[in-house]
Amino acid sequence: MGASDFVNLPNIGVSVKRKEDYRFLTGGGQYTDDITLANQTYAVFVRSPHAHAGINSINTEAAKAAPGVIGVLVGADVAADKINGLPCGWLITSTDGSPMKEPPHPILAQGKVRYVGDHVAMVVAETLEQAKNAAELVEVDYDVLTAVVRVTDAARAAPLHDAAPDNRCYKWALGDKAQVDAVFASAAHVTKLDLTNNRLVPNAMEPRAAIGSYNRANDDYTLYVSNQNPHVERLLLTAFVMGLPEHKVRVIAPDVGGGFGSKIYLYAEDVCLTWASKKLNRNIKWTCDRSEAFVSDAHGRDHVSHAEMAMDKDGKFLAMRVHTDASMGAYLSTFAPAIPTILYATLLAGQYATPLIYVEVDAWFTNTAPVDAYRGAGRPEATYLVERLVTRAAWDMGLAQDEIRRRNFITEFPYQTPVALQYDVGDFHALLKRGNELGEVAGFAQRKSASEAKGLLRGIGYSCYIEACGLAPSNIAGALGARAGLFECGEVRVHPTGSVTVFTGSHSHGQGHETTFAQVVAARLGISVDAVDIVHGDTGRVPFGMGTYGSRSMSVGGTAIMKALDKIETKAKKIAAHLMEASDADVEFANGEFTIKGTDKKVTFGQVALTAYVPHNYPLDKLEPGLNETAFYDPTNFTFPAGTYICEVEVDPATGQVCVDSFTAVDDFGNIINPMIVEGQVQGGLVQGIGQALMENCVYDPESGQLLTGSFMDYAMPRFSDMPDFKLDTLCTPCSHNPLGAKGCGEAGAIGSPPAVINALLDALRPLGVLDFDMPASPARVWEAIRAAKK
């Protein structure tokens, strides 16, 4: 079945209410912290108060003697039990051919701590209060060292790791530098821009949590954990850290209250609890509090870049060159090296037919929390750079923001970019046209005048993003450094009554999989959405899968389910043919009924399902009983959602207050299964992206390395009152290489919105002489920029 056939089926493109919401709204959801096991104890981690320090000694005697304490474990215990450090899942090769520097990442510090929040000891006690009290009694003698937190200072700072004496993890490049430099030398105009993509703290509604459990009778482990990809968690935990047979560990990720990338990774706490559950012979729970989350969750972004665009006299793009310094934090998180390289540099073409691009990336270790994928994962960083640069180029050339984009859009597909990716389909002119219509851009001048009459400044900003979703085919990903496959699995079990259970390796943490996947299955089989159950998040029940991230669930996970449904349909046709005494080649299947071409014979899907399990009238010589099928899908290419975002802001020059007055988003997600869920995903992404642009900012003190924004008192999160009523629409060019025609929508809003907001702000401030501005646009920072420009 092709994408054009699929999109016309019942239940597709329909805003079915989310099946999972009943249990969430009535308090029936079960998150990791809701689980209580027999004989359960509680863990508290002693964390480093210093950003960089040697550990002279750790005295745990008083803590061990405290009431209720079961055990206190430190780095020496980890080393004695030969527990390895956390692995990195992606290898980047430097420009000189050497592999990236990959220092050990111990689960409890050994000899040195490297960021505030680094794990020093784990205290396990009968109650949480007892564990907290005992943790206060652990005495650590530190030798405080100089810390480095700014990525631009890393090269001149004291080394964090012996393996990286200059603090550089890798130097990586993509493109032909000589060709690009030659074009710049003869270009009619060159636009240059320096910018920073500010560090973010993910702040999912549910903080991380885990429970480690060991069964002595079977010598097996169960880890309950708030995680986005349980199978990858298990693989890393068993094969690379603890050296356990994979079948001896079961990872269960129950309901997960948001992830945004921060729950993809294998964290030290997960390993500590699993290891200690056997060592102490107790079930052990750890629930992260919000203060811990700020210092210990993997952060996002943190790039400093210089970008240049070479153009002809008419504003046509000829070449781009970019240099980016990217912070890895103190250690390499699971997928960290891929973010500023494979997922960033390969998107620097954007929607534009720029013939040549050269990019260099230097990745550095700093005394900060590890940095990894956060909603968008490299794509927001690329889009922010490209769209800020394009808008600056428009102003340099005396062109409107939309006009310079029109002159440079890609118009023919498939299109091979100069940075490795090949876009299969798209219509960027249509997205921009619809964005201008929906955003009522023609009336902007009148609205600007109205704002000026109130003493306010109004600006308009554009962002035309494209992203690569689903991740690459496994063979290509492997060639680019991935240490795991990027396929997905789906198993479809048809029950005798005709109801269906689907087991998917994708994992839902707010995306609505239990509804959208059920819609896909119901549409194919002609049954009710309520007759389909979706199971995910349990390595003991689900075939091996790669989890949810990178907007891959529908395009990759959904396609795996479709491939399993193809097998179901093929077998079901054979059964139906037998029942109707015909050839299966003559059987057609639609709307839940099998018919014979040219006749009025038919049997229902339910009849076929029952026959498969009650095979009294069944071709046993040709078919096995049952109607279960499993399929794996490895994508042949990325999918490429794209969109035009237009933001209008009002700025109060007296206070620096920025108000997002209007925001228009027109996206191309390919075929859409559930418009309501897609709209919710876009709105959530827009709020996160606008939050980064206006208020969110993770700041470390440059001298001490202390996290200055370690709570919601100092780290500003967007609220409902900060947002306008979004104007949303979608256009469709179906993906050409999966049967759903789907592209992915989960990250788009967070990718396209930050540059639209900052471009709008700069459009408002340019008359005052403010020509550049880095996120976040907090009132104080905007006011200071206006004041500096006046001077």
Side-chain angles (χ1 to χ4, degrees), residues 531-549:
V532 183
D533 278 337
I534 308 297
V535 176
H536 56 87
D538 185 346
T539 63
R541 299 183 66 191
V542 176
F544 195 99
M546 298 305 295
T548 292
Y549 44 86

Side-chain angles (χ1 to χ4, degrees), residues 471-495:
L471 295 189
S474 292
N475 60 335
I476 295 176
L480 296 174
R483 288 167 165 166
L486 296 174
F487 56 85
E488 196 47 82
C489 177
E491 179 187 354
V492 179
R493 295 185 190 175
V494 179
H495 304 300

Side-chain angles (χ1 to χ4, degrees), residues 195-388:
L195 48 81
T196 297
N197 205 297
N198 46 323
R199 179 183 280 239
L200 301 176
V201 180
N203 282 318
M205 186 177 291
E206 177 208 20
R208 289 188 294 123
I211 306 172
S213 177
Y214 176 70
N215 186 328
R216 286 191 178 276
N218 300 324
D219 188 32
D220 58 21
Y221 302 78
T222 301
L223 174 65
Y224 299 87
V225 63
S226 181
N227 188 270
Q228 297 174 218
N229 51 356
H231 279 98
V232 173
E233 171 112 353
R234 182 178 70 169
L235 174 64
L236 297 174
L237 174 70
T238 56
F240 297 97
V241 183
M242 294 185 68
L244 296 171
E246 199 168 358
H247 71 282
K248 286 294 184 180
V249 178
R250 180 181 182 183
V251 175
I252 300 174
D255 290 326
V256 173
F260 312 115
S262 69
K263 294 177 182 174
I264 300 174
Y265 324 116
L266 175 64
Y267 283 96
E269 294 89 352
D270 308 343
V271 180
C272 285
L273 294 173
T274 307
W275 162 61
S277 68
K278 178 177 182 179
K279 194 173 185 70
L280 303 178
N281 194 29
R282 296 292 292 272
N283 299 321
I284 308 172
K285 175 187 281 190
W286 168 75
T287 301
C288 186
D289 63 34
R290 189 60 68 180
S291 295
E292 273 188 298
F294 269 97
V295 298
S296 66
D297 286 2
H299 293 169
R301 317 294 191 241
D302 204 352
H303 286 191
V304 176
S305 299
H306 175 76
E308 300 180 357
M309 182 72 81
M311 294 171 282
D312 69 12
K313 62 180 179 60
D314 297 317
K316 287 282 288 183
F317 300 159
L318 304 176
M320 179 196 294
R321 58 187 175 195
V322 176
H323 181 271
T324 293
D325 289 303
S327 177
M328 296 286 99
Y331 302 97
L332 290 180
S333 181
T334 306
F335 296 112
I339 309 308
T341 52
I342 307 307
L343 297 177
Y344 162 72
T346 57
L347 267 297
L348 288 175
Q351 296 187 10
Y352 310 108
T354 308
L356 294 168
I357 297 174
Y358 177 73
V359 54
E360 284 184 346
V361 177
D362 284 301
W364 304 94
F365 293 109
T366 61
N367 293 113
T368 60
V371 179
D372 209 318
Y374 172 64
R375 196 170 192 170
R379 283 75 56 85
E381 295 91 321
T383 298
Y384 185 69
L385 184 147
V386 171
E387 291 303 297
R388 285 285 312 280

Side-chain angles (χ1 to χ4, degrees), residues 448 451-458 650-653:
K448 185 177 178 70
S451 295
E452 289 173 349
K454 297 183 292 184
L456 303 176
L457 305 171
R458 179 175 285 266
E650 278 190 328
V651 182
D652 184 344

Side-chain angles (χ1 to χ4, degrees), residues 68-84:
V69 171
I70 306 297
V72 180
L73 301 173
V74 297
D77 300 304
V78 174
D81 284 3
K82 296 182 171 56
I83 303 297
N84 295 324

